[in-house]
């Protein structure tokens, strides 16, 4: 069976992403030139790599993002000696929305990541099923392609946990958010298990803000702080500076004060993991 567009959701090119459009167009042009150089028609080439002719044309015209296996197979069929397969290092980043890609780049550089989240489980901690449920609940709904693109981007950011020099990471989550069974009981159980797994990592501190805390310093919304090896930092808060990222030292001090106070008001890491374990046992 040849793969068709219906088999490939989430691989459309974002027309507003100039860098992404340029990368995919360049790779598509090289694929077409190499195919024509060996005298293969699009249909013949498609059968060789396992794709329908229409999808081959769309990839070559820069309208579709090729999968890694497509590039690997094309490299073999066209005898490119690894040059086509190597394009995946750039292509794989195109699939993710520009703003998420930029966030992922910042997280990949950070030596410290601190995050308070009051409405959802942070994307860095979400399981695939949880991410799909959260993104799928949006109104108006995203198209299937956009939803899959967003899920893939969210999960790709989690590679920060596998870095050889992993950053120091701190998370504070609201108890009500952790208790909400997003996606149903099984998806919720998997999400609780994921929180326990991450919370036990040596470079991660995970805390829960209990529901019986009558007031705390995070009521204005999400707070995020990233610190980098050169001593610079960036922060953002829903309730400060119009929600925009800031590098200003005086603004960062305010966010650090608020985040430090939130951590002091939350359950300790040990108490937080124990609470999540009890939730898991209740499901």
């Amino acid at each position: 069976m040849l793969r068709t567009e219906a088999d490939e959701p989430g691989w459309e090119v974002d027309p507003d992403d100039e860098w992404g459009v340029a990368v995919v167009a360049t790779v598509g042009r090289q694929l077409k030139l190499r195919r024509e150089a060996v005298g293969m028609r699009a249909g013949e080439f498609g059968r060789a790599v396992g794709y329908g002719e229409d999808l081959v044309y769309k990839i070559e015209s820069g309208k579709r993002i090729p999968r890694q296996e497509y590039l690997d197979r094309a490299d073999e069929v066209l005898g490119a000696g690894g040059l086509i397969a190597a394009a995946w290092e750039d292509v794989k980043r195109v699939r993710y929305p520009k703003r998420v890609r930029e966030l992922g780049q910042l997280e990949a550089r950070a030596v410290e990541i601190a995050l308070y989240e009051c409405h959802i489980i942070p994307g860095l901690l979400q399981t695939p099923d949880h991410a799909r449920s959260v993104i799928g609940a949006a109104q108006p709904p995203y198209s299937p392609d956009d939803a899959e693109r967003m899920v893939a981007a969210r999960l790709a950011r989690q590679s920060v946990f596998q870095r050889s020099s992993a950053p120091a990471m701190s998370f504070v989550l609201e108890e009500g958010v952790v208790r909400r069974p997003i996606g149903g009981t099984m998806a919720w159980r998997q999400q609780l298990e994921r929180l326990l797994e991450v919370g036990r990592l040596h470079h991660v501190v995970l805390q829960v803000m209990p529901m019986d805390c009558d007031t705390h310093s995070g009521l204005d919304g999400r707070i995020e702080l990233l610190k980098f090896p050169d001593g610079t930092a960036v922060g953002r808060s829903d309730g400060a500076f119009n929600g925009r990222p800031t590098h200003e030292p005086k603004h960062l001090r305010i966010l650090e004060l608020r985040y430090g106070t939130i951590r002091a008001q939350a359950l300790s890491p040990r108490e937080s993991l124990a609470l999540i374990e009890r939730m898991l046992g209740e499901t």
Side-chain angles (χ1 to χ4, degrees):
M1 294 290 293
L2 301 180
R3 290 190 180 185
T4 65
E5 197 162 359
D7 302 320
E8 299 275 276
W11 293 82
E12 295 287 350
V13 180
D14 180 358
D16 296 326
D17 183 356
E18 294 180 2
W19 179 81
V21 169
V23 168
V24 176
T26 300
V27 172
R29 190 179 309 116
Q30 290 300 315
L31 284 165
K32 182 179 180 180
L33 290 173
R34 286 182 177 273
R35 173 178 63 77
E36 292 176 340
V38 299
M40 294 185 75
R41 295 182 179 275
E44 179 187 2
F45 175 74
R47 289 189 294 274
V49 297
Y51 278 68
E53 183 175 353
D54 183 59
L55 207 50
V56 170
Y57 279 128
K58 287 196 171 186
I59 289 174
E60 290 183 351
S61 64
K63 296 178 181 177
R64 295 281 296 186
I65 304 169
R67 283 179 175 268
Q68 183 176 17
E69 54 263 37
Y70 182 98
L71 295 175
D72 288 345
R73 184 63 181 142
D75 196 283
E76 295 174 7
V77 171
L78 300 175
L83 293 178
I84 291 177
W88 175 247
E89 288 305 309
D90 287 324
V91 170
K92 68 181 180 181
R93 291 191 286 271
V94 176
R95 189 183 180 198
Y96 311 138
K98 182 179 179 181
R99 62 180 180 80
V100 178
R101 193 166 65 232
E102 292 171 346
L103 176 59
Q105 291 170 348
L106 289 174
E107 290 169 344
R109 289 176 44 221
V111 293
E112 293 183 37
I113 297 176
L115 178 62
Y116 162 70
E117 183 60 79
C118 54
H119 299 304
I120 62 171
I121 300 291
L124 285 174
L125 303 179
Q126 290 179 11
T127 64
D129 284 345
H130 188 100
R132 287 190 180 89
S133 296
V134 170
I135 292 170
Q139 291 295 333
Y142 296 106
S143 70
D145 276 4
D146 286 343
E148 281 303 310
R149 185 196 301 267
M150 293 175 71
V151 170
R154 189 164 295 182
L155 298 180
R157 287 171 48 214
Q158 297 178 8
S159 62
V160 69
F161 288 103
Q162 280 75 54
R163 275 173 40 188
S164 57
S165 55
M169 306 177 78
S170 167
F171 300 93
V172 181
L173 315 180
E174 288 288 340
E175 180 181 346
V177 169
V178 181
R179 287 191 177 277
R180 185 169 294 121
I182 298 292
T185 301
M186 289 306 299
W188 183 36
R189 284 187 59 86
Q190 291 171 358
Q191 183 60 68
L192 293 177
E193 290 169 351
R194 173 62 175 164
L195 293 179
L196 290 173
E197 176 188 3
V198 173
R200 292 171 179 145
L201 295 175
H202 73 281
H203 62 284
V204 175
V205 174
L206 189 148
Q207 294 175 258
V208 174
M209 180 66 73
M211 295 178 67
D212 61 5
C213 183
D214 54 4
T215 186
H216 63 77
S217 301
L219 298 179
D220 281 342
R222 171 188 172 119
I223 296 174
E224 184 172 21
L225 288 162
L226 303 177
K227 297 184 180 180
F228 306 108
D230 62 359
T232 60
V234 62
R236 186 174 70 84
S237 172
D238 292 340
F241 325 122
N242 297 316
R244 296 174 181 172
T246 179
H247 300 268
E248 291 289 332
K250 63 180 180 180
H251 292 166
L252 293 172
R253 283 196 295 272
I254 292 172
L255 296 183
E256 288 178 341
L257 174 62
R258 291 183 183 178
Y259 187 74
T261 305
I262 289 169
R263 289 193 63 184
Q265 293 167 328
L267 298 177
S268 71
R270 178 176 296 181
E271 292 169 332
S272 298
L273 293 182
L275 175 61
I276 295 172
E277 289 176 339
R278 289 197 298 273
M279 292 183 197
L280 187 59
E282 295 167 359
T283 61

